[in-house]
Amino acid sequence: MKEADLMLKHPLAKYLRQERMPHIWCEGCGNGILLNSFLEGLDELKQNLDRIVVVSGIGCIGRAAGYINVDSFHTTHGRAIPFATGVKLANPNLKVVVISGDGDLFAIGGNHFIHAARRNVDIKVICANNFNYGMTGGQYGPTTPLGSWTTTTPYGNIEHPFNLVHLAAASGAVYVARWTTLQVRRLKNSIKKALQKEGFSLVEVISPCPEIFDRYNKLGTAVDVMKWFKLISQVKHGYDPAKAEVAKNKIIVGEFVDIEKPSYGRLLREMTANVQDKLKGEK
Amino acid sequence: MPQKLWREPLDAQKTKLPKAEICIITDLCKGCGFCIEFCPKNVLEQSEQLNKKGKHPPEVTDESSCALCGFCTAICPEFAIFVVEKKGENNVGNEEKE
Ligand SMILES: Cc1ncc(C[n+]2csc(CCOP(=O)(O)OP(=O)(O)O)c2C)c(N)n1
Ligand code: SF4
Ligand code: SF4
Ligand SMILES: [Mg+2]
């Protein structure tokens, strides 16, 4: 069989914009695994693809929006969440997913993240955390671990990183999970769970960046990094997100938050209906 | 590698094990090696062949020991490998007994 025909036989082929394949990501980059898990989750949920919207910001992982065969938008840097919020509020029947990077979501877009979580906007955020700005050559960012080497921390990073799951939980997210790109099955399950829940969700995906971050930090090949994930990951469901660390010798993974709370969109629609009723009564 | 059994299972004549077909889109592969490293049955190996990208894609050493777990399909960042069940073909259970 010709390779192009074989590509179309892949079980997830219909979810990809084939004309854009192969994607631009480097050999062993975790972004492809994240995309794979997301599409497999969509497939298993038998989602109506006309109801799915994917929004991303700028960065290597931001390309994901252009690769998925659903309505999608690649926003300006840091603005994926406000764009997604608008989409969701304008059409509550859509499932809106933000797929973006640690830099996009937590540096330039950090304020949008905390307030969307606080308001419990019904969007699902999947963050590829590769501990640096991959696309622009590997600058340090808000998740770069203390002491790590990047192009802009030539003497080692002296800033303390965010713990993303703690930040999301403290800001009000109803579903918060973290996996590495090695735990593909559990990652897929968390993505499915987030898609089925009402409210703001964060799925953090610890992801290799073999070409830049991992190379600067002498972590070896992508396979070495994945083996390291295997060695040091500890699954702790329901663990206190404040204590769920990401360290050289330990990465706590699992589901940390799974609660129910009315979403912003629901409260907005209820309020609007109440006010309209009241106005009708006054006429 | 055929599995060693210490006795013939009682239902060996009736039981059919699904057979796997592993499909590799060689020119999509970037040679990361994840599928080879993490296959629980060690079914894959790096090939000598160089693809269009100048990378060595995986090759199948023994399709019959594939457990159809689909881990290679799920871990491949390039959508370059997938495994499906061979239609209409089954390994008869005791075929593998040595
Ligand atoms: C307003 C603006 N500022 C800065 C940039 C440059 N820039 C592009 S991508 C990026 C960071 C991306 O990092 P991350 O979100 O972690 O994605 P990654 O590339 O690591 O996947 C930056 C700073 C930009 N495109 N726009
Ligand atoms: S620079 Fe890093 S994050 Fe970007 S595609 Fe390459 S490996 Fe992936
Ligand atoms: S996981 Fe995919 S890209 Fe990596 S070696 Fe296997 S087939 Fe190639
Ligand atoms: Mg990044």
Side-chain angles (χ1 to χ4, degrees):
Chain A
M1 198 185 292
K2 280 220 296 286
E3 296 237 313
D5 297 331
L6 199 56
M7 258 170 94
L8 298 178
K9 289 250 151 69
H10 190 289
L12 300 175
K14 68 171 180 181
Y15 299 99
L16 287 165
R17 297 188 201 204
Q18 294 293 346
E19 70 280 10
R20 297 204 172 187
M21 294 291 119
H23 56 62
I24 61 156
W25 298 318
C26 306
E27 166 189 333
C29 174
N31 291 344
I33 306 180
L34 186 159
L35 179 60
N36 193 330
S37 302
F38 173 68
L39 297 182
E40 205 181 346
L42 275 191
D43 189 53
E44 286 183 9
L45 284 178
K46 307 250 173 301
Q47 293 287 320
N48 175 356
L49 295 187
D50 292 339
R51 292 270 171 89
I52 306 278
V53 174
V54 174
V55 183
S56 66
I58 304 297
C60 295
I61 182 64
R63 307 283 301 200
Y67 295 140
I68 305 173
N69 203 6
V70 298
D71 287 335
S72 61
F73 198 77
H74 194 173
T75 66
T76 49
H77 198 25
R79 309 300 173 231
I81 287 179
F83 186 92
T85 302
V87 173
K88 180 67 195 179
L89 294 182
N91 188 348
N93 293 325
L94 299 173
K95 284 217 156 111
V96 185
V97 182
V98 169
I99 301 182
S100 213
D102 48 286
D104 184 79
L105 289 166
F106 295 97
I108 189 169
N111 236 34
H112 297 302
F113 181 90
I114 56 175
H115 292 291
R118 178 180 60 78
R119 294 179 181 130
N120 197 23
V121 181
D122 187 13
I123 57 177
K124 325 292 155 200
V125 178
I126 307 174
C127 173
N129 183 4
N130 57 8
F131 308 117
N132 80 132
Y133 300 169
M135 173 153 273
T136 43
Q139 294 81 2
Y140 84 102
T143 61
T144 307
L146 199 66
S148 299
W149 276 272
T150 68
T151 44
T152 45
T153 53
Y155 307 107
N157 180 26
I158 54 167
E159 295 185 19
H160 298 273
F162 274 144
N163 171 350
L164 300 185
V165 295
H166 185 203
L167 183 68
S171 304
V174 293
Y175 183 77
V176 181
R178 173 196 286 142
W179 299 105
T180 76
T181 47
L182 184 76
Q183 291 108 10
V184 276
R185 307 280 193 214
R186 307 199 217 209
L187 169 60
K188 174 194 68 190
N189 288 337
S190 274
I191 291 173
K192 282 166 72 177
K193 213 158 168 184
L195 279 167
Q196 288 167 291
K197 254 187 106 78
E198 177 182 327
F200 190 91
S201 307
L202 171 71
V203 180
E204 178 187 2
V205 188
I206 306 282
S207 178
C209 172
E211 209 51 53
I212 307 191
F213 184 83
D214 301 351
R215 189 159 53 86
Y216 271 89
N217 288 281
K218 299 194 166 45
L219 299 177
T221 63
V223 165
D224 292 333
V225 173
M226 292 280 270
K227 281 185 178 162
W228 172 63
F229 286 168
K230 190 172 179 177
L231 196 70
I232 64 164
S233 294
Q234 296 181 13
V235 183
K236 291 193 179 176
H237 292 303
Y239 198 65
D240 179 358
K243 295 188 190 136
E245 47 184 330
V246 177
K248 272 229 157 80
N249 56 354
K250 195 198 284 177
I251 299 179
I252 310 279
V253 294
E255 272 179 5
F256 306 109
V257 178
D258 187 359
I259 55 169
E260 307 294 330
K261 198 159 69 173
S263 68
Y264 178 80
R266 176 186 295 275
L267 295 176
L268 178 69
R269 286 189 300 280
E270 278 174 16
M271 181 190 72
T272 315
N274 284 342
V275 173
Q276 279 167 349
D277 279 354
K278 224 171 157 189
L279 289 177
K280 263 184 225 151
E282 281 171 12
K283 264 187 211 157
Chain B
M1 198 189 325
Q3 255 170 14
K4 284 199 179 117
L5 303 174
W6 62 274
R7 67 158 173 80
E8 183 171 314
L10 298 175
D11 57 356
Q13 298 307 322
K14 285 178 276 169
T15 309
K16 308 268 188 200
L17 294 177
K19 253 189 174 176
E21 182 177 352
I22 303 165
C23 306
I24 302 169
I25 306 150
T26 45
D27 281 335
L28 272 187
C29 171
K30 288 184 187 159
C32 67
F34 293 161
C35 57
I36 301 168
E37 178 65 35
F38 298 109
C39 168
K41 293 282 187 179
N42 288 319
V43 167
L44 301 163
E45 205 175 72
Q46 196 181 68
S47 69
E48 299 277 307
Q49 180 202 344
L50 274 182
N51 69 7
K52 271 190 190 156
K53 296 189 204 304
K55 304 284 181 181
H56 294 286
E59 68 184 0
V60 180
T61 54
D62 176 15
E63 205 165 52
S64 70
S65 51
C66 170
L68 267 159
C69 71
F71 200 73
C72 56
T73 318
I75 202 89
C76 176
E78 308 297 328
F79 304 91
I81 186 169
F82 61 96
V83 48
V84 288
E85 197 175 317
K86 250 186 208 163
K87 293 253 160 59
E89 262 188 78
N90 287 299
N91 275 337
V92 177
N94 68 351
E95 197 181 84
E96 296 202 331
K97 210 184 81 176
E98 277 188 323

